[in-house]
Amino acid sequence: MYVSHLQLADYRSYESVQLAMDPGISTFVGPNGQGKTNLVEAIGYVATLGSHRVATDAPLVRQGADRAVIRAAVVRGDRRALVELEITPGRANRARLNRSPVSRPREVLGILRTVLFAPEDLSLVKGDPGERRRFLDELLVARAPRFAGVRSDYERVLKQRNALLKSASARFFRQRTEPDLSTLDVWDEHLAAAGAELMAARLALVAELQPLVAKSYGELTSSGGPPALHYRSSAAPDTGHLPAERAALVDLLRAALTDARPQELQRGVSLVGPHRDDLQLRLADLPAKGYASQGESWSYALALRLSGFELLRADGDDPVLILDDVFAELDAERRRRLAEHVRTAEQVLVSAAVPGDIPDELMGTRFRVGGGRVERE
């Protein structure tokens, strides 16, 4: 799998740019602030419908423009596909596949698969639980695009349930009237069902990742290991043992929702469910967050991304590997070891401010980026 052509219109700093690419290694070199990351971010957006840098779409549209357009030609074996995305903040985004409109943008998920390394990846270890939940869910969707619908269904149920809790809380604590909770019982069932499906998938994914993360971490560094992954559920905060079966998880969530109801009514928000869970990362049986050194944290984050790449590769096709200005954050030994890991991928896209940051093993086709232009050297 590789991207053979990228076209941007009013995306970030680019009014218009077209770029032809080949399989193998391509590097984008230029001073900071010239648009290198914008290029690889756009490719990642085609794969995930999201940015690794911002949480909303508004910053993706060039200042003064109403919308941004990304067109990417993707080659997968002997098949070719053209994905077109129209990003319009404040309105529903639109997508086309091979020039034909699709009813929802998420229908193009799975056409392109990417694994992206970036300085922001340090937050996988040092950041909030939401960063690690996002890592798991994006990997789930990359492997099986139907999980985009599973996650969307859960978020819809959660939004409805939170609105009901907020309303019930206001009636009880402000107006001193007894709320009718029969509707809440219905939404509890919906949340337990949708949440159990998402949790079961995450638990299975964590089990697959564990040996791969341990292997990748050991190959990146000899410091601080061994690593271990533990899925911590808000439905069972005092135990590390969770059932793997979806039916058992439904029962677990249902019971936890019943126990949490008084607190939820008081606070007006859902306190139980996959949206409150965490992937706990441990090194030598200590939490990596707070105990791991900077170098160990980087090795852990890289091991997570490399493990995701290995899972996707095992499913059939190499995903496109994107290394966005990551080598500037690593010491020479970690640069070398990471380069050894990724250089055999079908397509590797590397961005760097100076050529010296890029290991010799990854010096492929070079593009010079600057002044709103991208030129092949």
Side-chain angles (χ1 to χ4, degrees):
M1 175 186 294
Y2 66 95
V3 177
S4 63
H5 192 268
L6 177 70
Q7 180 180 0
L8 305 179
D10 292 324
Y11 183 89
R12 290 281 195 178
S13 58
Y14 292 104
E15 180 179 2
S16 178
V17 67
Q18 295 196 51
L19 184 63
M21 291 180 287
D22 302 315
I25 300 168
S26 296
T27 62
F28 301 95
V29 180
N32 291 328
Q34 294 301 304
K36 304 182 302 296
T37 292
N38 297 346
L39 296 170
V40 296
E41 177 192 44
I43 293 172
Y45 192 97
V46 173
T48 65
L49 302 183
S51 164
H52 68 287
R53 301 157 72 193
V54 293
T56 64
D57 286 344
L60 306 182
V61 179
R62 189 174 63 89
Q63 188 174 8
D66 295 328
R67 61 173 187 167
V69 176
I70 307 172
R71 294 184 180 90
V74 181
V75 179
R76 189 172 188 175
D78 58 357
R79 294 170 293 170
R80 296 175 179 269
L82 177 65
V83 179
E84 301 173 85
L85 298 173
E86 183 179 304
I87 303 169
T88 310
R91 298 173 56 188
N93 293 341
R94 295 191 292 182
R96 295 165 63 93
L97 178 59
N98 295 327
R99 304 196 183 280
S100 297
V102 297
S103 59
R104 293 173 297 188
R106 74 182 191 214
E107 291 182 29
V108 305
L109 290 171
I111 302 297
L112 173 65
R113 302 194 300 180
T114 62
V115 171
L116 187 146
F117 299 76
E120 290 83 358
D121 283 345
L122 201 59
S123 65
L124 289 174
V125 180
K126 295 190 171 186
D128 294 332
E131 300 291 339
R132 292 178 286 279
R133 290 194 297 267
R134 179 181 174 184
F135 164 74
L136 291 176
D137 291 347
E138 287 188 349
L139 187 51
L140 282 175
V141 172
R143 298 186 76 193
R146 76 173 188 85
F147 279 106
V150 172
R151 188 170 58 177
S152 178
D153 290 344
Y154 179 78
E155 290 171 352
R156 177 183 55 82
V157 170
L158 180 64
K159 182 178 180 180
Q160 293 290 339
R161 189 173 184 275
N162 280 341
L164 185 60
L165 281 170
K166 185 176 181 180
S167 175
S169 177
R171 286 197 301 272
F172 184 74
F173 290 102
R174 297 177 189 172
Q175 302 173 16
R176 298 298 177 182
T177 58
E178 195 69 27
D180 179 6
L181 300 180
S182 59
T183 305
L184 186 58
D185 293 334
V186 175
W187 285 108
D188 282 2
E189 289 299 315
H190 288 317
L191 188 137
E197 184 172 8
L198 185 55
M199 280 181 64
R202 287 179 179 176
L203 287 166
L205 178 59
V206 171
E208 289 187 86
L209 283 171
Q210 173 62 70
L212 297 174
V213 170
K215 179 176 182 292
S216 294
Y217 185 89
E219 292 173 348
L220 287 167
T221 181
S222 58
S223 173
L229 312 181
H230 297 282
Y231 189 87
R232 307 297 296 184
S233 172
S234 55
D238 299 325
T239 178
H241 302 288
L242 292 169
E245 300 81 11
R246 181 178 171 185
L249 289 169
V250 170
D251 292 338
L252 178 71
L253 283 167
R254 187 185 293 122
L257 288 167
T258 299
D259 291 342
R261 179 171 289 189
Q263 285 182 287
E264 290 186 329
L265 285 171
Q266 186 174 17
R267 296 175 60 177
V269 67
S270 298
L271 301 176
V272 171
H275 67 289
R276 305 277 295 194
D277 294 352
D278 191 11
L279 175 64
Q280 189 178 66
L281 309 178
R282 301 183 72 84
L283 274 177
D285 208 32
L286 290 172
K289 183 178 180 179
Y291 286 90
S293 69
Q294 185 79 353
E296 290 166 349
S297 296
W298 263 116
S299 294
Y300 214 139
L302 293 172
L304 288 168
R305 292 298 188 194
L306 287 169
S307 299
F309 172 77
E310 292 300 331
L311 280 181
L312 292 171
R313 169 181 267 182
D315 289 342
D317 301 305
D318 278 13
V320 174
L321 268 173
I322 300 173
L323 295 92
D324 179 25
D325 205 22
V326 71
F327 288 111
E329 306 290 338
L330 305 178
D331 58 39
E333 182 61 17
R334 286 185 174 85
R335 288 184 188 184
R336 184 188 67 78
R337 294 192 180 195
L338 178 59
E340 282 294 322
H341 268 280
V342 306
R343 64 187 179 87
T344 60
E346 185 168 1
Q347 186 174 50
V348 183
L349 307 178
V350 184
S351 72
V354 295
D357 285 344
I358 304 172
D360 291 341
E361 298 91 332
L362 298 180
M363 293 300 291
T365 303
R366 184 181 299 182
F367 294 88
R368 175 65 58 179
V369 181
R373 302 179 64 184
V374 184
E375 298 178 341
R376 188 169 186 152
E377 295 187 345

